[in-house]
Amino acid sequence: MKAFIRTVLMGFLAVGLSLGSNLASAEPTKVVYHIDDAATQGLKGLRNIRNHLDVSPQTKIIVVTHANGVDILMEGGKDKSGTEYAPLVAALKSRGVRFEVCEITLRNRNLKRDQFILDAEFTPSGVVRIADLQFKDKYAYIRP
């Protein structure tokens, strides 16, 4: 009976160690934040991302902006109360967050790349990028 109990306990220990090993090597959560309106989503979205990283700092986050959402990444961009977006973006960028601007929006709004802060990257299509991140790269989708 003792041999049986010892065998069962050793089995549980082996399973526990295996699970622990798998958890330790698990990839971090990946999330795409979708911002298409700076006025309603800008500060709220940036604060959501900060809070997200405060609780789960290993999360890989990409912010994709298009339409009026690109305004959070423009030089001198501010919300309606006068709060500048750039310092918040820079703080999140230093924590590993990527910020992308839709190039279709640039053409539609007659904007140039040099109107954006240095932390901005560019993607041919914001909508296509979001879809690819969700379905090809297995990113969770959040629209603040």
Side-chain angles (χ1 to χ4, degrees):
M1 183 68 170
K2 285 183 183 181
F4 173 75
I5 292 173
R6 184 182 343 208
T7 302
V8 170
L9 289 176
M10 292 303 285
F12 283 135
L13 179 60
V15 168
L17 289 174
S18 173
L19 288 174
S21 171
N22 288 340
L23 290 175
S25 66
E27 289 192 32
T29 302
K30 300 182 294 186
V31 180
V32 57
Y33 277 79
H34 174 194
I35 297 181
D36 64 1
D37 184 25
T40 60
Q41 297 174 280
L43 282 181
K44 176 175 67 169
L46 295 172
R47 288 178 178 147
N48 286 172
I49 295 164
R50 181 197 60 212
N51 294 341
H52 192 142
L53 290 172
D54 286 348
V55 173
S56 183
Q58 72 284 359
T59 304
K60 183 175 180 179
I61 296 176
I62 298 176
V63 179
V64 178
T65 65
H66 68 97
N68 292 329
V70 304
D71 294 356
I72 69 166
L73 298 172
M74 293 187 74
E75 282 288 343
K78 299 177 184 177
D79 79 338
K80 58 187 167 221
S81 69
T83 302
E84 288 189 40
Y85 296 118
L88 301 169
V89 170
L92 293 171
K93 180 83 171 181
S94 73
R95 296 177 74 180
V97 178
R98 289 183 56 182
F99 290 88
E100 299 182 3
V101 175
C102 171
E103 291 177 334
I104 292 172
T105 297
L106 295 183
R107 287 192 301 277
N108 290 344
R109 291 183 54 190
N110 199 28
L111 299 171
K112 306 289 180 221
R113 284 180 175 219
D114 64 3
Q115 292 177 271
F116 291 86
I117 61 176
L118 294 176
D119 293 321
E121 299 176 43
F122 297 88
T123 187
S125 168
V127 172
V128 170
R129 178 71 168 141
I130 290 166
D132 286 347
L133 287 169
Q134 283 185 270
F135 296 104
K136 291 181 181 177
D137 300 324
K138 307 297 185 217
Y139 276 66
Y141 172 86
I142 296 177
R143 186 173 185 271

